[in-house]
Amino acid sequence: MTETSFFERVYEVVKLIPEGRVTSYGAIAVFLGAKGSARMVGWAMNNASKMEDIPAHRVVNRNGLLTGKHHFPGTRVMQQMLEAEGVQVINDKIVRFQDYFWDPSVELQ
């Protein structure tokens, strides 16, 4: 599998995350059959923050931290995008993360 095809598979999953929900790099990796490749999903998301059709702001780390925020223009853009969808963020962390968590392995069965 090439890096490009893996990235494209990541983007296809991210496009399915509903508004007001979030998932993690690791959950996407597990869904794609690449457990242990959360970092590779993160690399894909680094590029996706510039793609308007990919809701990259909905992908966070396993603890609900906005670890990809520095890939968005401005200092609080990722947080503002999530808050506009009804997701509460305090100190770069999603409040009640499990309430907003969208697991592709469950939701895309």
Side-chain angles (χ1 to χ4, degrees):
M1 175 184 321
T2 66
E3 182 177 331
T4 302
S5 67
F6 183 80
F7 280 21
E8 290 301 320
R9 291 174 59 210
V10 168
Y11 301 147
E12 290 305 312
V13 173
V14 174
K15 287 179 185 179
L16 300 173
I17 304 168
E19 185 174 314
R21 303 289 300 277
V22 295
T23 196
S24 68
Y25 307 104
I28 293 172
V30 168
F31 176 74
L32 294 176
K35 184 178 180 182
S37 296
R39 188 164 299 195
M40 189 81 150
V41 172
W43 291 334
M45 298 317 302
N46 292 348
N47 297 329
S49 63
K50 298 164 191 70
M51 301 176 187
E52 289 186 20
D53 63 328
I54 310 290
H57 64 286
R58 296 181 188 148
V59 184
V60 298
N61 85 353
R62 64 188 171 137
N63 298 314
L65 288 171
L66 310 188
T67 52
K69 69 180 184 170
H70 57 279
H71 293 285
F72 291 84
T75 54
R76 295 178 21 125
V77 172
M78 185 177 185
Q79 178 175 339
Q80 291 168 339
M81 293 172 82
L82 287 167
E83 288 174 339
E85 295 182 3
V87 178
Q88 185 181 11
V89 178
I90 296 176
N91 294 326
D92 295 330
K93 187 173 182 179
I94 295 173
V95 177
R96 296 183 332 274
F97 175 54
Q98 288 304 318
D99 292 348
Y100 298 105
F101 186 72
W102 181 84
D103 185 346
S105 295
V106 173
E107 303 291 341
L108 300 177
Q109 287 289 358

